[in-house]
């Protein structure tokens, strides 16, 4: 049916007049922000449906295969038994930064017997246009971005190959780019013979032929190896990583970071913790490399203790880790550094777990905390021009629970983390589509938190990024991110900082004010890190413009509960348990020299060293003086 009046419906279930004209930003009746959810459609019939058509009385065809759900508050049509074609999408849920997710179906469209699969989280801009294909954006990209795109494709190669959808990476039109990020339109099953690294190498040949001069020769050599008969994935990965770091190190690097935490409008105490949080923190050695947000669970003398323990314990360990990295003669490989960060988080987990055991806390009385942490690692590398740089622009992001990280530029806002909740678990184990899982009463209950159980049960998500464009890394607790307030307001709060019209400290306070206004039932923590990477990164950050006006949307009663306690779902079956580090095969690589300090933390009483440093500082300093010199410098004074 061709639409004569293009409309979109308000998502507020209590709205008495939910119909709005398409293009409106807020509901004209109740002022709730309207959701514009663009979808990518698959199936042989989808490409033939003309623009302006309304399908199934709710989907507006914008352009070829791009549809808008005009009733996003309703659950889409989902079959009782999930088709095999969606299983790979669900298994790859934690790759949702790059991979779309199934939204619903249009079954047997117009009696053809062919169904149409609807995909969300697709590379479509807010105006409904597709982001450019990698081939179309390639020649305009910088040298480091060209290498970074190929690096991301190589990182996706293994997980997609295991699910027999690696063919998706060999289709130029299927590979889209949103700034630095490679995103896929859809997954394609590999037919007959499995694709190989040689196929990927041949696919890359036309791209690297027009690569920027600074990286062209090395990229072409890498591709030549990939096309050979005895290609070594690890060797290719190492070479591409070395080239990526050396290209990124050519860029400027300027950093400014601030953090704050607030109890909120209704809570009498603050169970959140963040780093940095005050002026004293800004003078520490770890700033601006380290930023942390923790949201405590367990109430008074529980959640607030857990979040503080996590921050303080991590600071102690990261000091040691960065000190050892600074003494390494070679660049530490990403997989090795990831292992070290995971070990640090398992230590933190056991620090909190030990406190629970000491106090005989059981079940949901046990204190725990969510965590999102960013660590910028200043490794020394030789640049592509032959100079030595003190910073390779690496950023490692770790998350447990539902505290989040966003990357924000002048043009887009990207959610970098995936919430560890029941809804995500149901998707990851291919039991529900995401929209189905959200209908569960326990959908937002956490499945992971630091300290709730021993470290053997902990699943840590760690990712590495390369900082190659100006942007803001926003870490926050759900006191801000609930009800998608970051996604709805980033343009008012972050873009003015990037354009030099608003000081970072003012933007930070406005985020906190927004959290208190819209999600005031909870504590709120925000850490903002401004990265200046471009040649013209020096912008004035002293000008304070008048208070930014925001949309005054009244959330529905269904949108924000009267209280929102964080509940940890501990019902993890054997099939869902992540293998422990001890069960994983050895990589056969040397460990970082974290030294005696980390060994002490790992051994015996994991909480002992931290507690000793707080309660018996003289004894602790005597212990530190007995450690190797490389470790003594990181002991807290």
């Amino acid at each position: 049916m061709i639409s004569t009046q293009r409309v979109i419906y308000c998502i507020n279930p209590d709205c008495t007049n939910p119909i709005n004209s398409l293009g409106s930003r807020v509901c004209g009746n109740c002022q709730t922000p309207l959701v514009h959810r663009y979808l990518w459609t698959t199936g042989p019939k989808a490409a033939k449906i003309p623009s302006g058509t309304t399908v199934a009385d709710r989907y507006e065809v914008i352009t070829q295969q791009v549809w808008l759900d005009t009733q996003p508050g309703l659950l889409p049509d989902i079959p009782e038994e999930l088709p095999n074609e969606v299983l790979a999408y669900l298994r790859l849920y934690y790759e949702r930064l790059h991979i779309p997710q199934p939204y619903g179906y249009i079954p047997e469209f117009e009696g053809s017997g062919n169904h149409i699969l609807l995909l969300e989280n697709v590379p479509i801009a807010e105006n409904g246009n597709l982001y450019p294909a990698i081939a179309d954006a390639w020649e305009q990209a910088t040298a480091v971005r060209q290498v970074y795109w190929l690096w991301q494709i190589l990182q996706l190669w293994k997980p997609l190959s295991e699910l027999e959808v690696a063919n998706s990476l060999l289709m130029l039109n299927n590979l889209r780019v949103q700034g630095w990020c490679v995103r896929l339109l859809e997954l394609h099953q590999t037919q007959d013979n499995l694709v190989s690294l040689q196929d990927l190498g041949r696919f890359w040949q036309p791209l690297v032929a027009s690569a920027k001069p600074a990286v062209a020769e090395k990229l072409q050599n890498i591709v030549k190896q990939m096309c050979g008969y005895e290609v070594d994935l690890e060797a290719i990965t190492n070479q591409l990583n070395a080239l990526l770091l050396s290209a990124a190190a050519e860029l400027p690097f300027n950093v400014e970071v601030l953090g704050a935490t607030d109890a909120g409008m209704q809570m009498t105490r603050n169970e959140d913790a963040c780093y940095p949080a005050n002026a004293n923190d800004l003078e520490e050695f770890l700033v601006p490399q380290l930023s942390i947000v923790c949201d405590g669970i367990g109430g008074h003398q529980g959640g607030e203790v857990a979040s503080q323990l996590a921050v303080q314990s991590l600071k102690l360990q990261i000091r040691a880790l960065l000190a050892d990295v600074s003494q390494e003669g070679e660049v530490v490989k990403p997989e090795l550094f990831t292992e070290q960060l995971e070990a640090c988080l398992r230590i933190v987990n056991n620090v909190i777990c030990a406190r629970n055991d000491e106090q005989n806390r059981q079940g949901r009385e046990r204190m725990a905390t969510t965590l999102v942490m960013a660590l910028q690692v200043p490794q020394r590398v030789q640049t592509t021009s032959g100079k030595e740089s003190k910073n390779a622009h690496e950023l490692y992001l770790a998350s447990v629970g539902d505290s989040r990280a966003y990357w924000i530029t002048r043009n887009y806002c990207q959610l970098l983390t995936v919430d560890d909740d029941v809804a995500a678990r149901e998707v990851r184990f291919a039991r529900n589509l995401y929209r189905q899982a959200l209908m569960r009463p326990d959908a937002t209950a956490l499945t992971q938190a630091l300290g709730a159980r021993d470290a053997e049960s902990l699943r840590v998500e760690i990712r590495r990024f390369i900082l190659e464009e100006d942007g803001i890394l926003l870490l926050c607790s759900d006191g801000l991110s609930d009800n998608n307030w970051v996604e709805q307001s980033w343009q008012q709060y972050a873009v003015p900082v990037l354009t030099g019209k608003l000081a970072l400290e003012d933007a930070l306070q406005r985020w906190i004010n927004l959290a208190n206004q819209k999600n005031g039932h909870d504590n709120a923590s925000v850490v903002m890190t401004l990265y200046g990477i471009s040649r013209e990164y020096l912008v004035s950050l002293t000008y304070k413009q008048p208070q930014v006006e925001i949309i005054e949307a009244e959330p529905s009663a269904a949108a924000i509960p009267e209280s929102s306690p964080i509940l940890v779902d501990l019902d993890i079956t054997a099939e869902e348990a992540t293998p422990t580090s001890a069960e994983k095969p050895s990589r056969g690589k040397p460990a970082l020299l974290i030294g005696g300090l980390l060994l002490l933390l790992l051994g015996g009483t994991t909480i002992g060293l931290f507690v000793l440093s707080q309660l018996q500082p003289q004894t602790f300093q005597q212990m530190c003086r007995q450690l190797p010199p490389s470790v003594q410098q990181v002991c807290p004074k």
Side-chain angles (χ1 to χ4, degrees):
M1 179 182 73
I2 301 297
S3 174
T4 56
Q5 183 180 6
R6 307 178 77 186
V7 299
I8 190 165
Y9 285 74
C10 178
I11 62 171
N12 182 356
D14 299 321
C15 184
T16 57
N17 186 18
I19 301 177
N20 295 268
S21 59
L22 191 61
S24 301
R25 306 310 302 175
V26 299
C27 176
N29 180 57
C30 69
Q31 299 302 299
T32 298
L34 296 174
V35 174
H36 292 73
R37 186 172 296 139
Y38 291 99
L39 308 169
W40 177 254
T41 57
T42 71
K45 286 285 186 179
K48 299 179 181 180
I49 304 175
S51 302
T53 303
T54 299
V55 179
D57 295 325
R58 66 182 284 184
Y59 302 104
E60 183 81 19
V61 180
I62 305 301
T63 59
Q64 187 180 60
Q65 292 184 264
V66 176
W67 295 6
L68 174 68
D69 186 358
T70 64
Q71 300 184 53
L74 300 180
L75 187 68
D77 191 349
I78 300 171
E80 291 186 12
E81 184 174 346
L82 296 180
N84 289 333
E85 67 178 326
V86 306
L87 298 183
Y89 290 100
L90 304 182
R91 298 290 185 187
L92 291 166
Y93 182 73
Y94 275 84
E95 297 290 348
R96 66 189 306 276
L97 191 58
H98 307 285
I99 308 295
Q101 280 295 302
Y103 183 70
Y105 276 90
I106 305 296
E108 297 188 7
F109 181 72
E110 293 185 345
S112 64
N114 296 314
H115 63 262
I116 295 176
L117 173 62
L118 308 173
L119 298 174
E120 64 174 321
N121 186 43
V122 284
I124 300 176
E126 292 182 356
N127 59 7
N129 294 328
L130 287 169
Y131 283 111
I134 189 171
D136 296 332
W138 180 261
E139 291 190 3
Q140 289 73 42
T142 62
V144 62
R145 182 162 287 185
Q146 289 177 341
V147 182
Y148 196 16
W149 285 341
L150 298 185
W151 167 262
Q152 291 172 63
I153 294 172
L154 192 63
Q155 293 301 294
L156 289 169
W157 182 257
K158 183 177 180 180
L160 268 63
S161 295
E162 291 173 348
L163 294 170
E164 299 183 355
V165 290
N167 195 46
S168 311
L169 300 172
L170 304 180
M171 300 177 178
L172 283 175
N173 196 55
N174 196 49
L175 295 172
R176 301 280 164 162
V177 288
Q178 183 187 16
W180 66 273
C181 185
V182 174
R183 301 182 63 184
L184 276 63
L185 272 177
E186 58 183 286
L187 295 179
H188 294 269
Q189 291 290 328
T190 302
Q191 302 296 325
D192 301 325
N193 297 325
L194 295 178
V195 294
S196 65
L197 272 175
Q198 287 91 341
D199 295 318
L200 185 62
R202 288 189 285 270
F203 175 74
W204 283 4
Q205 282 179 329
L207 292 175
V208 301
S210 59
K212 289 293 189 290
V215 296
E217 182 178 353
K218 290 186 178 180
L219 274 182
Q220 290 164 9
N221 181 54
I222 290 172
V223 169
K224 183 178 180 180
Q225 295 177 56
M226 292 173 67
C227 294
Y229 289 106
E230 297 182 358
V231 58
D232 185 335
L233 177 59
E234 183 177 354
I236 295 298
T237 301
N238 291 339
Q239 291 179 55
L240 194 59
N241 180 60
L243 180 58
L244 176 59
L245 295 182
S246 62
E250 290 279 4
L251 302 174
F253 195 78
N254 188 54
V255 188
E256 184 180 358
V257 60
L258 288 174
T261 183
D262 193 275
M265 304 295 288
Q266 299 179 22
M267 304 289 283
T268 58
R269 60 182 179 275
N270 192 352
E271 296 178 39
D272 283 7
C274 70
Y275 179 82
N278 52 53
N280 291 333
D281 288 343
L282 297 179
E283 302 300 321
E284 292 189 356
F285 161 74
L286 292 172
V287 175
Q289 269 74 44
L290 178 66
S291 55
I292 304 171
V293 165
C294 290
D295 186 350
I297 303 164
H300 183 56
Q301 294 302 314
E304 59 194 79
V305 173
S307 60
Q308 289 290 343
L309 277 176
V311 170
Q312 297 304 325
S313 180
L314 267 174
K315 286 167 58 179
L316 185 65
Q317 295 173 74
I318 297 302
R319 283 192 187 99
L321 189 57
L322 290 182
D324 287 323
V325 167
S326 68
Q327 297 180 11
E328 284 289 308
E330 299 179 354
V331 173
V332 180
K333 297 176 182 177
E335 61 269 22
L336 180 56
F337 201 88
T338 296
E339 289 177 357
Q340 298 299 325
L341 283 181
E342 184 173 340
C344 289
L345 290 173
R346 292 186 185 281
I347 292 167
V348 173
N349 183 88
N350 285 348
V351 166
I352 301 170
C353 200
R355 179 68 67 88
N356 278 322
D357 293 341
E358 289 173 2
Q359 298 178 359
N360 197 30
R361 291 175 177 258
Q362 302 296 326
R364 296 195 177 187
E365 293 180 355
R366 292 176 71 82
M367 60 182 173
T369 185
T370 70
L371 173 134
V372 60
M373 175 186 76
L375 179 61
Q376 200 282 307
V377 185
Q379 296 201 73
R380 295 176 181 269
V381 296
Q382 188 176 51
T383 68
T384 51
S385 61
K387 302 175 183 178
E388 183 181 76
S389 171
K390 296 180 180 180
N391 202 310
H393 293 217
E394 284 182 291
L395 179 76
Y396 286 84
L397 198 64
S399 64
V400 179
D402 62 356
S403 293
R404 292 181 173 184
Y406 294 85
W407 178 248
I408 304 173
T409 71
R410 298 186 189 189
N411 300 313
Y412 51 79
C413 172
Q414 297 167 330
L415 174 60
L416 303 180
T417 53
V418 178
D419 293 348
D420 291 313
D421 56 19
V422 170
R425 186 188 68 187
E426 293 300 292
V427 174
R428 186 163 58 96
F429 289 102
R431 293 195 276 254
N432 292 116
L433 301 192
Y434 182 65
R435 296 295 160 181
Q436 278 180 304
L438 283 181
M439 302 302 292
R440 294 173 56 113
D442 61 349
T444 60
L446 299 184
T447 57
Q448 293 286 326
L450 291 175
R453 295 165 288 183
D454 61 52
E456 304 299 313
S457 305
L458 186 66
R459 183 182 186 277
V460 179
E461 194 70 20
I462 300 176
R463 295 184 178 275
R464 186 185 77 148
F465 301 91
I466 299 299
L467 297 163
E468 46 90 78
E469 65 178 346
D470 296 343
I472 291 172
L473 180 68
L474 175 73
L475 307 186
C476 65
S477 62
D478 62 350
L480 174 61
S481 63
D482 268 359
N483 303 299
N484 298 318
W485 280 110
V486 174
E487 289 87 344
Q488 293 178 37
S489 56
W490 63 273
Q491 291 173 316
Q492 292 100 323
Y493 294 106
V495 172
V497 175
L498 292 166
T499 56
K501 297 177 181 178
L502 184 67
L504 193 65
E505 59 182 338
D506 291 338
L508 180 72
Q509 188 56 53
R510 293 179 186 185
W511 280 118
I512 293 291
N513 293 343
L514 177 70
N516 288 340
Q517 180 185 4
K518 303 300 183 181
N519 295 326
H521 59 284
D522 200 0
N523 310 144
S525 292
V526 180
V527 178
M528 296 179 70
T529 307
L530 172 62
Y531 291 102
I533 308 298
S534 64
R535 298 294 175 186
E536 56 275 359
Y537 68 89
L538 288 177
V539 296
S540 172
L541 296 173
T542 57
Y543 172 75
K544 299 182 180 182
Q545 70 176 31
Q547 181 71 32
V548 177
E549 211 174 289
I550 66 169
I551 299 171
E552 294 296 329
E554 290 296 331
S556 67
I560 298 180
E562 293 182 5
S563 61
S564 56
I566 300 178
L567 302 177
V568 182
D569 186 301
L570 302 179
D571 299 327
I572 304 297
T573 63
E575 70 172 19
E576 299 168 359
T578 302
T580 65
S581 56
E583 294 169 336
K584 294 178 181 176
S586 172
R587 297 178 182 267
K589 300 182 179 67
L592 285 178
L593 301 177
I594 296 181
L597 184 60
L598 185 54
L599 291 176
L600 281 169
L601 283 165
L602 280 167
T605 308
T606 56
I607 198 170
L609 186 58
F610 172 73
V611 172
L612 187 62
S613 70
Q614 302 299 305
L615 302 182
Q616 300 182 34
Q618 291 183 344
T619 303
F620 179 76
Q621 290 303 324
Q622 291 175 358
M623 178 186 295
C624 280
R625 284 193 289 272
Q626 297 174 10
L627 297 175
S630 65
V631 180
Q632 287 184 24
Q633 61 181 316
V634 301
C635 290
K637 304 301 181 184

